Amino acid sequence: MRVSRLLLVTLRDDPAEAEIPSHKLLLRGGYIRRISSGIYAYLPLLWRVLQKISTIVRQEMDATGALETLLPQLQPADLWERSGRWAGYTAGEGIMFHLTDRQGRELGLGPTHEEVITALAADLLRSYRQLPVNLYQIQTKFRDEIRPRFGLMRGREFIMKDAYSFHADEDCLRQTYAAMDGAYRRIFQRCGLRAVAVEADSGAIGGSASQEFMVTAEAGEDLILTSADGRYAANQERAVSRPSVALPLAAAPRAGGVGDRLSTPGQTTIEQLCSAHGFDPSQLVKVLLLLARFADGQFQPLLISLRGDQQLNDVKLANAVSARLSGAHGALLSIDPLTADLVRSERLPLDLSEIPFGYLGPDLADQTLAPDPSHRSDTAGVAPPTTPAVQLTRSFLRLSDATAAELEAFVCGANAADHHRVGASWAGLGLQPESLDLRAAQSGDRCLHDPDQCLQAARGIEVGHIFQLGRKYSEAMEARFTNESGVDEPLWMGCYGIGVSRLAQAAVEQHHDADGICWPVAIAPFAVIVVIANTQEAIQVELAESLYAELTAAGLDVLLDDRTERAGVKFKDADLIGIPWRVVVGRGAAAAQVELVRRAGREKLELAASDVRATLEAEIGREIAGATLVA
RNA sequence: CGGGGCGUGGCGCAGCUUGGUAGCGCGGGUGCUUUGGGAGCACUAGGUCGCAGGUUCGAAUCCUGUCGCCCCGACCA
């Protein structure tokens, strides 16, 4: 391809809309253009990158025996109603674009394909003899993201490889999951990315085990925690660690007591309490008052106890709450602090004026949630307005993190303004807390697998995620097969995603310098750019043309910069768009000498034009092989 | 949705406080010179100042509304 024909439009200044390096460089290099928020045109250069990534993905997926397919993006609502996800994905904060067709049928634009594939599996799969099977596709996904961000990093329309496997039993699912783990490692390796596999929360997709693949980069949206020995890595949402040892309370209290009352006026925070009375935060139990909302309209107040020096992990909390109540009330929609503002905006029949915020203890009585009498008289005898009746549970769901539950004696609020209790115990308060893990693991915490190892924090861009779904969808959608004994049972499922367009940008985020992109050769739009330093010199043009023809004939992806620009312009553009190898045909052309420059390291080599092809083939071959073999 | 910021030729910005000729750099076109790290000179095209109201003799500038975009939070490949 000739640069003069490439529609190469590069920008000298950083566009105002871009914040992070990869986004700026993709815009400046003429790789993408924004059409609307979170919606991008992939220009010819980027399309070549995406095709190269897709090819690698295909090769590795095919090598595991997976079958490529292509599923519809327009999906009927009833499929999603059968899985129980239509409401959650379309209402409120739901991310599915949806529409009504001319017949009044509801359709959604596919954000993911569990429903479609499971319906297909129910149709096609009948016998254990057909199993296992793994179907994948590479296509555009649509998600009405709450906040699109950073160009291709979080778009409302993006390219994804998604795969879905079906199995006769859980053991077989585990094998395919492991095979996908291997394939993913090879894919990212071959794309030239430094990626780490981390334990993950399975989120809205559901299911049991799941693992994310993170490209480490400052601009990453996720926080990951890893141990230096490489044996543990997890998303912070999921990460576990050893809490520090709590300091015992100095004045040993009576065993099983409720503690001594302590006057603490105005001391509503952990810091104030500790500095006023010399407590250590680990001697305190802090109590959070929250409100969970469910798909069926039910509200459930939560009373969460944590040791004073620990932070709540809201993903762990959401999982714990879902596990207890989603069976009865459907999906957990949100958990928010229970405040006067929330009561007002949700029109809850609650009066929080008696709740002593800042002085809560784990034994706060359910009666504090009694309905507000004034509210009752307001609405007595009046037909309720258009809003449906609020369903509110009038007792707390009480959950305690293990660090709090294990304290023998602690300081906590007295459930009365301006007072705390010192030396309280769970038995004394009449509570028997379950020991849950609700706390956020943090950088510096000691690891479970080895107390000598500490967790380190890094930021990451999630480029892949693999799940063992189990039978969640096959049960909901009645995708069943006949097993060896002739008995019908639901299929076991796994699903496996790679954000292809996100991966392209993540590669830029990881491979760039002050002058532009430094693509790994495996996914670069072109491997080589031949630059004619001065197009007025016929001898340079002639040599460059013959090199271009030779390299192209050798099967390399070659760009010929034949523009009549000055050399400096062409060098700047070549650096910006990040072609891994540059061949400069300039002053040495008369002697058939050219210069070979590696983009990433700037190494230069003067060599005979006749040696260029062999040198490039060796260098590129070495890089590709290196990326393939290391595993 | 809550909080913060921005909309002025294709791109990056100034002008707005204190109302009165719409400007700068880059980019585009033509010509000449230059030709190994974003060249120089000359000429030239291109803007209803996001949109709609209002105030005013007069609005890019002041007021109101609205749309769009970006950043911080809940979501995720």
Side-chain angles (χ1 to χ4, degrees), chain A residues 489-529:
Chain A
E489 58 172 305
L491 290 155
W492 289 86
M493 286 178 65
C495 80
Y496 319 93
I498 290 179
V500 172
S501 45
R502 179 185 279 181
L503 190 157
Q505 186 168 341
V508 177
E509 197 59 38
Q510 216 170 49
H511 299 284
H512 69 272
D513 62 20
D515 294 316
I517 301 170
C518 308
W519 289 112
V521 74
I523 62 173
F526 293 91
V528 188
I529 182 166

Side-chain angles (χ1 to χ4, degrees), chain A residues 57 61 64 66 112 114 132-137 141 160-167 170 172-184 187 205 209-211 213 463-470 492-499:
Chain A
V57 169
M61 291 300 294
T64 68
T112 177
E114 282 83 7
V133 62
N134 191 2
L135 290 161
Y136 78 96
Q137 58 174 346
K141 293 283 187 276
M160 178 171 168
K161 187 284 299 183
D162 48 330
Y164 306 86
S165 68
F166 298 90
H167 311 269
E170 190 170 14
C172 178
L173 165 59
R174 288 206 191 94
Q175 286 175 30
T176 296
Y177 181 82
M180 286 295 107
D181 178 22
Y184 274 39
I187 288 167
I205 306 287
S210 100
Q211 183 172 274
F213 293 84
V463 290
H465 200 159
I466 59 177
F467 302 80
Q468 291 179 29
L469 290 175
W492 289 86
M493 286 178 65
C495 80
Y496 319 93
I498 290 179

Side-chain angles (χ1 to χ4, degrees), chain A residues 390-584:
Chain A
V390 171
Q391 304 163 56
L392 175 71
T393 311
R394 296 200 172 275
S395 58
F396 292 115
L397 175 62
R398 293 166 200 267
L399 300 174
S400 302
D401 181 65
T403 51
E406 285 160 6
L407 290 176
E408 302 268 319
F410 49 84
V411 178
C412 67
N415 293 323
D418 299 336
H419 288 87
H420 281 81
R421 288 168 294 190
V422 182
S425 67
W426 292 101
L429 300 178
L431 299 168
Q432 288 182 306
E434 249 185 285
S435 232
L436 299 170
D437 179 16
L438 300 175
R439 53 183 276 278
Q442 286 174 338
S443 171
D445 285 358
R446 295 189 177 281
C447 297
L448 288 186
H449 75 272
D450 178 355
D452 291 334
Q453 293 285 325
C454 287
L455 292 178
Q456 304 170 330
R459 301 211 68 89
I461 301 164
E462 182 187 348
V463 290
H465 200 159
I466 59 177
F467 302 80
Q468 291 179 29
L469 290 175
R471 308 210 273 196
K472 173 177 167 175
Y473 293 92
S474 53
E475 280 170 356
M477 304 191 66
E478 295 180 342
R480 308 170 71 82
F481 73 103
T482 307
N483 68 17
E484 283 179 77
S485 324
V487 179
D488 265 17
E489 58 172 305
L491 290 155
W492 289 86
M493 286 178 65
C495 80
Y496 319 93
I498 290 179
V500 172
S501 45
R502 179 185 279 181
L503 190 157
Q505 186 168 341
V508 177
E509 197 59 38
Q510 216 170 49
H511 299 284
H512 69 272
D513 62 20
D515 294 316
I517 301 170
C518 308
W519 289 112
V521 74
I523 62 173
F526 293 91
V528 188
I529 182 166
V530 177
V531 176
I532 308 172
N534 185 345
T535 50
Q536 306 210 311
E537 299 286 338
I539 195 157
Q540 293 184 16
V541 175
E542 201 176 310
L543 181 58
E545 288 281 358
S546 75
L547 266 175
Y548 172 56
E550 181 190 357
L551 297 174
T552 303
L556 292 168
D557 286 325
V558 192
L559 210 45
L560 176 67
D561 199 341
D562 57 339
R563 294 176 298 173
T564 54
E565 299 287 345
R566 293 160 61 95
V569 173
K570 293 192 263 199
F571 293 156
K572 287 286 187 190
D573 274 342
D575 286 351
L576 178 61
I577 66 175
I579 307 304
W581 293 95
R582 186 175 82 206
V583 178
V584 183

Side-chain angles (χ1 to χ4, degrees), chain A residues 253-441:
Chain A
R254 297 174 297 281
V258 297
D260 301 325
R261 211 168 158 93
L262 177 70
S263 177
T264 54
Q267 295 159 15
T268 57
T269 67
I270 305 272
E271 295 73 36
Q272 288 167 345
L273 201 56
C274 289
S275 65
H277 302 279
F279 299 132
D280 183 84
S282 69
Q283 298 167 331
L284 275 51
V285 168
K286 65 177 169 189
V287 175
L288 308 176
L289 183 56
L290 307 170
L291 186 68
R293 182 186 356 191
F294 291 88
D296 71 346
Q298 187 77 25
F299 287 88
Q300 169 66 57
L302 309 175
L303 205 59
I304 309 301
S305 299
L306 282 167
R307 205 171 75 188
D309 60 335
Q310 301 298 321
Q311 299 300 317
L312 180 66
N313 176 322
D314 29 5
V315 174
K316 291 180 182 176
L317 174 65
N319 289 340
V321 172
S322 291
R324 283 162 180 75
L325 295 173
S326 279
H329 299 301
L332 172 63
L333 298 183
S334 64
I335 296 180
D336 300 294
L338 182 48
T339 61
D341 279 352
L342 186 68
V343 167
R344 211 172 306 122
S345 64
E346 298 291 346
R347 301 186 184 176
L348 296 171
L350 270 179
D351 178 6
L352 302 182
S353 60
E354 296 302 309
I355 294 185
F357 286 103
Y359 300 93
L360 299 182
D363 55 335
L364 184 67
D366 287 339
Q367 286 86 319
T368 46
L369 290 171
D372 168 24
S374 64
H375 187 282
R376 203 183 246 172
S377 61
D378 282 352
T379 55
V382 180
T386 50
T387 51
V390 171
Q391 304 163 56
L392 175 71
T393 311
R394 296 200 172 275
S395 58
F396 292 115
L397 175 62
R398 293 166 200 267
L399 300 174
S400 302
D401 181 65
T403 51
E406 285 160 6
L407 290 176
E408 302 268 319
F410 49 84
V411 178
C412 67
N415 293 323
D418 299 336
H419 288 87
H420 281 81
R421 288 168 294 190
V422 182
S425 67
W426 292 101
L429 300 178
L431 299 168
Q432 288 182 306
E434 249 185 285
S435 232
L436 299 170
D437 179 16
L438 300 175
R439 53 183 276 278

